[in-house]
């Protein structure tokens, strides 16, 4: 017995793994590892599996749980803030010849379903959960798995898994980030772009909440503030200062993780992707990914 719909299974697995890990690269590695383990099974072992998809989800989730448990140790060596890897809108990055053919797209970004469960705001909050809480929340609240199924993955009782999901929901609901608008009005993004293009410090500050927070992830590979920037004036200055570090950036609205955001490029490659959260008509959070390894999906078609 082998997976009858490997492409469809892979899409499901990528969606599960990305929400657990916040990284397309790590999600792809986890899914690949799950397939390796499947093909290492003997024919008799495969024949005993009632649902290949369920088996792959379970194994992928266990791999993700191990990755999450090792994340604090791995990130001790990460320079600056760590942010989730942003996902572009599918229509832009899927090649014309592949559309509608049923072929599995080469880039895992093309397999991520963009909805509120992958908003940058939620992924940032998920980073504050324990590994077991995150796995329980993603599998139950997003993918509707039973707590009996989740128990087999995290190694706890179904009742304990229910408590994990409840604790996760409580922490998410109590987060200031979770209370922002994940679907940002395109008009706010357009106004941000216009003020940024003009290097209008006052105009930028007027769009920002007085307590706005900007977090930049450069991964130590490009210049980026090591710590978060707080306050409308300082964040506006951060944006105005960008052209001094990178002359002539092209700033345009873009769909980032399913909602309105910003892409900055030099005309040839994406230099930064900005996710935005707002409340009461003002921007409360800017998550700026500059780490080039996290922009691979954005630059995929530029290299073709």
């Amino acid at each position: 017995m082998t997976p009858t719909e490997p492409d469809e299974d892979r899409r499901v697995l990528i969606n599960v793994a990305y929400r657990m890990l916040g990284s397309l690269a790590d999600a792809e590695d986890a899914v690949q590892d799950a397939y390796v383990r499947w093909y290492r099974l003997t024919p008799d072992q495969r024949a005993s599996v009632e649902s290949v998809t369920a088996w792959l989800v379970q194994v992928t989730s266990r791999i993700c749980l191990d990755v999450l448990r090792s994340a604090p140790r791995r990130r001790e060596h990460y320079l600056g803030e760590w942010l989730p890897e942003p996902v572009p809108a599918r229509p832009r990055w899927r090649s014309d010849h592949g559309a509608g053919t049923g072929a599995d797209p080469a880039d895992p970004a093309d397999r991520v379903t963009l909805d509120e469960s992958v908003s940058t705001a939620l992924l940032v909050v998920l980073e504050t959960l324990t590994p077991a809480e995150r796995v329980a929340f993603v599998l139950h609240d997003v993918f509707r798995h039973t707590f009996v199924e989740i128990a087999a993955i995290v190694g706890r009782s179904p009742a304990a898994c229910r408590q994990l999901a409840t604790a996760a929901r409580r922490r998410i609901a109590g987060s200031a980030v979770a209370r922002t608008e994940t679907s940002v009005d395109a008009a706010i993004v357009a106004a941000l772009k216009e003020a940024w293009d003009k290097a209008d410090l006052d105009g930028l500050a007027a769009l920002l909440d007085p307590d706005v927070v900007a977090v930049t992830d450069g991964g130590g590979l490009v210049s980026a503030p090591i710590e978060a920037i707080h306050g409308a004036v300082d964040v506006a200055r951060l944006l105005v200062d960008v052209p001094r570090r990178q002359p002539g950036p092209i700033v345009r609205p873009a769909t980032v993780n399913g909602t309105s955001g910003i892409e900055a490029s030099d005309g040839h490659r994406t230099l930064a992707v900005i996710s935005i959260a707002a409340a009461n008509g003002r921007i409360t959070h800017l998550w700026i990914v500059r780490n080039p390894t996290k922009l691979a999906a954005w630059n995929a078609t530029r290299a073709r």
Side-chain angles (χ1 to χ4, degrees):
M1 182 179 181
T2 59
T4 55
E5 298 290 343
D7 290 352
E8 187 58 35
D9 282 341
R10 190 176 289 274
R11 290 186 184 92
V12 171
L13 300 176
I14 286 290
N15 274 277
V16 169
Y18 175 71
R19 285 160 177 80
M20 288 185 182
L21 303 177
S23 164
L24 288 170
D26 287 347
E28 185 78 350
D29 287 345
V31 171
Q32 185 63 31
D33 192 0
Y35 272 100
V36 168
R37 297 185 188 190
W38 168 259
Y39 287 111
R40 282 178 178 168
L41 296 179
T42 65
D44 287 345
Q45 288 173 321
R46 291 183 198 165
S48 69
V49 175
E50 293 183 6
S51 168
V52 177
T53 300
W55 188 93
L56 287 169
V57 168
Q58 185 179 78
V59 172
T60 299
S61 298
R62 285 174 177 162
I63 293 168
C64 289
L65 184 59
D66 289 340
V67 173
L68 289 170
R69 286 170 173 162
S70 68
R73 185 169 60 254
R74 290 185 295 119
R75 290 181 191 165
E76 286 178 0
H77 306 290
Y78 196 88
L79 185 60
E81 301 279 356
W82 188 96
L83 289 175
E85 185 176 347
V87 179
R90 175 182 294 188
R92 174 178 171 181
W93 305 112
R94 184 165 184 147
S95 60
D96 292 337
H97 69 270
T101 65
D104 192 39
D107 198 302
D110 272 344
R111 295 191 291 270
V112 174
T113 301
L114 298 177
D115 57 32
E116 62 182 14
S117 70
V118 294
S119 71
T120 302
L122 178 58
L123 291 177
V124 167
V125 179
L126 292 182
E127 285 293 313
T128 68
L129 305 181
T130 68
E133 287 173 346
R134 185 165 184 170
V135 169
F137 175 83
V138 169
L139 288 178
H140 181 266
D141 286 45
V142 179
F143 293 97
R144 303 303 177 190
H145 286 262
T146 68
F147 289 117
V148 172
E149 293 169 322
I150 297 169
I153 293 168
V154 300
R156 304 191 190 187
S157 69
C161 291
R162 184 185 296 275
Q163 292 177 343
L164 287 172
T166 299
R169 265 182 245 116
R170 188 179 299 118
R171 194 175 304 186
I172 291 168
S175 167
V177 174
R179 292 192 292 273
T180 62
E181 301 162 13
T182 56
S183 182
V184 179
D185 190 335
I188 295 178
V189 178
L192 177 66
K193 169 188 160 35
E194 182 178 0
W196 196 355
D197 283 341
K198 295 178 180 177
D200 181 357
L201 186 64
D202 292 336
L204 285 168
L207 295 168
L208 304 174
D209 185 89
D211 297 319
V212 64
V213 179
V215 178
T216 305
D217 178 346
L221 302 176
V222 295
S223 62
I226 298 297
E227 298 180 349
I229 306 297
H230 297 261
V233 173
D234 286 342
V235 171
R237 285 174 177 160
L238 171 70
L239 296 175
V240 169
D241 190 51
V242 167
R244 297 173 193 162
R245 300 192 303 270
Q246 181 71 46
I250 300 170
V251 178
R252 70 173 197 88
T255 299
V256 184
N257 284 53
T259 191
S260 298
I262 291 282
E263 178 198 11
S265 75
D266 62 3
H268 302 287
R269 60 194 174 96
T270 299
L271 303 173
V273 170
I274 304 177
S275 298
I276 299 170
N280 302 317
R282 289 195 174 186
I283 295 169
T284 58
H285 295 80
L286 294 170
W287 294 288
I288 307 168
V289 175
R290 295 209 61 225
N291 184 339
T293 65
K294 295 184 178 182
L295 300 176
W298 295 78
N299 284 310
T301 56
R302 297 182 187 275
R304 292 173 188 163

